[in-house]
Amino acid sequence: MSKELINLKDIVMTFDGEDILKSINLTVKDEEFLTLLGPSGCGKTTTLRIIGGFLTPTSGDVYFDGKRINDLPPYKRNVNTVFQKYALFPHLNVYENIAFGLRLKKVKEPEVKARVEKMLKMVNLEGFEKRSPELLSGGQQQRVAIARALINHPKVLLLDEPLGALDLKLRKEMQLELKKIQRQLGITFIYVTHDQEEALTMSDTVVVMNGGLIQQIGTPQDIYNEPANAFVADFIGASNIIDGVMVRDFTVDFMGHRFECVDKGFAENEPIDVVIRPEDFKLVKPEEGMLSGRVESVIFKGVHYESCVRVGERDLLVHSTVCEPVGSEVGLSVIPFDIHIMHKSTDPASQAFHYDEEGQEDET
Ligand code: ATP
């Protein structure tokens, strides 16, 4: 997976005088599973459509295998797309839907049969050949769409929120299956989603976008453990983002207290963002905490409780297997390693916002 396959160089896309993509530079490697992740409207689909050849960038270049392909129409690119709306042909049965690309290429029947059967096996739809797509469940329809896109052995598969219409359980199953198929076939997948968990589960590389800009590129572990800025930290894990001041190396002030941390290299007394993940706070007795406050709400989340603790003027989110009742006084402690210090961003696009589960920006 080391060879560079696709390169986007300084891509700008302007719609109605507005820069939707501001300057996108991205390399996709051969056989990589790369995910474009970000809130609604950040430019993920636009980036995908530029790679697919459905849109020509206002400026910048697209390279495929070292060749500039800005002017190459979609059907001449070695790329196929699976959309959220599967767009199966309703008048064709499952077999013919999958065979469609081969029919266009006038592939002979015995080969069509062999390849369709292989695909049906891969997506677990053996025995469904004669069914009309309308009689399939959402998950089954999506499998047909994937088989149809893969039968031509594209070098790259573009997937735009392909699991968005499925219920949670099915979505999780399909995530694992898609990852397995990608590994089996060794095809490069470029995947668009606003679901951070989906991105972390499936990808080799995650590209976090916001406001037409790439915020961070990294492995799921990098993105989760070392977010580049407060936006990424918040979008990936519903973090607590707190205004603070970096007093000197390894010492930070926030919420009226001084804390030891593991960061250095900031200016003395530089205003910074402190990011603490909800699972990194430990609930302790009030007198034992570095901070103390009052439990405002508790929600049972299955594996943990999500508590909102009011400390001074602020609410902090805490995930813990311990449940302290609403109204109780609690202490919070956090180890230096879990206090993440980030430069305050000057770019408004990367400021922290809060998002609901659909990835829509929350007005509050
Ligand atoms: P979503 O998850 O909602 O699909 P996205 O990150 O994929 O969001 P895009 O579809 O790339 O976002 O759209 C980015 C912005 O560009 C949006 O504000 C959208 O309204 C705008 N946009 C997209 N296509 C066009 C177009 N053809 N003309 C004008 N504006 C457009």
Side-chain angles (χ1 to χ4, degrees):
M1 200 184 70
S2 53
K3 192 174 143 243
E4 291 188 2
L5 190 61
I6 295 171
N7 270 299
L8 301 183
K9 292 247 191 275
D10 300 323
I11 298 287
V12 173
M13 187 78 223
T14 308
F15 288 126
D16 306 327
E18 193 189 341
D19 287 347
I20 297 301
L21 297 179
K22 288 172 184 151
S23 176
I24 298 293
N25 286 286
L26 181 65
T27 300
V28 187
K29 293 195 185 123
D30 198 16
E31 299 188 18
E32 186 171 26
F33 195 126
L34 179 136
T35 298
L36 303 175
L37 171 70
S40 185
C42 71
K44 307 180 293 287
T45 298
T46 304
T47 307
L48 204 70
R49 291 173 67 80
I50 287 173
I51 296 171
F54 304 105
L55 280 176
T56 307
T58 310
S59 65
D61 294 310
V62 184
Y63 292 89
F64 191 98
D65 238 347
K67 290 195 196 73
R68 186 176 173 279
I69 57 159
N70 285 39
D71 307 315
L72 206 63
Y75 66 93
K76 289 199 174 160
R77 299 186 180 196
N78 201 350
V79 168
N80 248 338
T81 309
V82 177
F83 297 100
Q84 179 172 356
K85 300 203 174 56
Y86 324 125
L88 297 177
F89 305 116
H91 58 291
L92 298 180
N93 65 19
V94 167
Y95 184 100
E96 289 303 327
N97 261 283
I98 298 176
F100 189 77
L102 301 182
R103 300 269 184 237
L104 284 183
K105 288 189 174 170
K106 312 239 180 297
V107 175
K108 299 243 162 42
E109 188 54 36
E111 190 185 336
V112 171
K113 188 163 181 291
R115 282 169 68 177
V116 172
E117 279 172 2
K118 190 173 159 215
M119 282 296 144
L120 282 165
K121 190 160 182 230
M122 194 178 67
V123 297
N124 246 325
L125 280 179
E126 287 162 302
F128 287 85
E129 293 81 340
K130 300 247 159 60
R131 282 264 189 111
S132 156
E134 285 162 351
L135 302 176
L136 298 177
S137 71
Q140 289 165 339
Q141 289 183 31
Q142 187 55 295
R143 284 160 209 258
V144 176
I146 288 161
R148 188 180 58 176
L150 287 173
I151 199 158
N152 277 331
H153 301 308
K155 196 106 184 84
V156 179
L157 191 64
L158 307 178
L159 302 108
D160 193 354
E161 304 252 8
L163 310 181
L166 307 181
D167 67 52
L168 187 63
K169 186 161 176 289
L170 197 53
R171 205 158 80 208
K172 294 213 176 281
E173 280 170 26
M174 285 295 292
Q175 286 170 5
L176 298 178
E177 277 188 41
L178 272 179
K179 180 81 196 162
K180 199 169 107 199
I181 290 171
Q182 189 259 343
R183 284 224 184 99
Q184 259 176 18
L185 299 181
I187 291 178
T188 305
F189 274 30
I190 307 180
Y191 194 96
V192 160
T193 184
H194 64 254
D195 179 339
Q196 42 279 47
E197 203 181 311
E198 184 159 287
L200 297 180
T201 309
M202 302 175 81
S203 322
D204 299 311
T205 303
V206 179
V207 179
V208 185
M209 296 180 67
N210 189 33
L213 288 168
I214 292 177
Q215 303 291 321
Q216 188 170 3
I217 302 175
T219 63
Q221 290 83 353
D222 287 342
I223 300 279
Y224 191 85
N225 293 327
E226 297 297 332
N229 56 40
F231 171 79
V232 176
D234 190 42
F235 193 71
I236 294 295
S239 281
N240 295 292
I241 298 168
I242 307 159
D243 285 329
V245 171
M246 196 68 186
V247 181
R248 53 181 176 271
D249 285 353
F250 311 118
T251 306
V252 58
D253 280 358
F254 58 92
M255 300 187 80
H257 295 265
R258 182 152 294 186
F259 294 81
E260 189 189 327
C261 63
V262 295
D263 296 78
K264 61 179 170 120
F266 291 79
E268 259 185 32
N269 295 318
E270 179 178 336
I272 43 84
D273 284 321
V274 177
V275 176
I276 303 178
R277 297 200 174 280
E279 65 271 26
D280 291 334
F281 275 125
K282 201 170 154 209
L283 281 173
V284 294
K285 294 198 181 95
E287 61 278 12
E288 290 170 7
M290 297 153 151
L291 300 168
S292 61
R294 188 184 155 85
V295 178
E296 295 287 312
S297 65
V298 181
I299 304 169
F300 179 56
K301 290 279 199 175
V303 178
H304 62 263
Y305 294 92
E306 181 173 281
S307 310
C308 174
V309 179
R310 175 141 284 242
V311 178
E313 296 292 296
R314 252 210 82 126
D315 289 335
L316 295 175
L317 211 55
V318 179
H319 290 173
S320 170
T321 49
V322 176
C323 174
E324 295 292 348
V326 172
S328 54
E329 296 294 325
V330 294
L332 294 175
S333 71
V334 55
I335 59 170
F337 181 77
D338 290 331
I339 297 176
H340 304 284
I341 309 292
M342 288 171 201
H343 288 288
K344 284 221 173 269
S345 175
T346 47
D347 168 16
S350 64
Q351 295 293 330
F353 292 109
H354 296 274
Y355 296 88
D356 65 20
E357 289 189 346
E358 292 304 308
Q360 306 286 347
E361 215 171 279
D362 188 344
E363 295 297 322
T364 54

